[in-house]
Amino acid sequence: MNTQLNRFATLIWLALVILTIVTFCIGEEVGAGKTVMLSVLAISLVKGQLIANYFMGLRHVSWLWRGIILGYFVVVGGMVAIAYLN
């Protein structure tokens, strides 16, 4: 098995865990507000891209598929933001 690939996957996983903890701390400590919601959504977008690129294997496909997934994340995040702001 490729040890370097395992280390890289572990580092991505640790980044996801850290981002999850940061998101939780922001939500618990800061409270509510537009800035908090937008920062949590931005972190969720980054986490989604990390999962799609490194654990779903989209890092090795064409930019079309990566763009479709990114567009999905942006559209869903945008709808959540609109629903929260209304």
Side-chain angles (χ1 to χ4, degrees):
M1 208 155 205
N2 191 347
T3 306
Q4 186 176 9
L5 185 61
N6 287 340
R7 282 191 196 137
F8 187 69
T10 302
L11 289 175
I12 296 297
W13 179 79
L14 284 173
L16 289 168
V17 169
I18 290 168
L19 288 172
T20 301
I21 292 169
V22 167
T23 303
F24 175 77
C25 291
I26 288 172
E28 286 294 315
E29 297 297 324
V30 178
K34 293 177 185 177
T35 307
V36 172
M37 185 267 308
L38 291 174
S39 64
V40 168
L41 277 175
I43 292 171
S44 297
L45 179 104
V46 170
K47 286 171 54 179
Q49 276 301 111
L50 286 173
I51 291 168
N53 287 338
Y54 297 104
F55 292 110
M56 293 175 62
L58 292 181
R59 180 175 53 160
H60 302 293
V61 299
S62 70
W63 282 98
L64 173 67
W65 289 106
R66 293 171 83 176
I68 290 171
I69 297 299
L70 177 62
Y72 170 78
F73 291 146
V74 170
V75 167
V76 171
M79 292 190 317
V80 169
I82 288 170
Y84 182 84
L85 295 174
N86 285 332

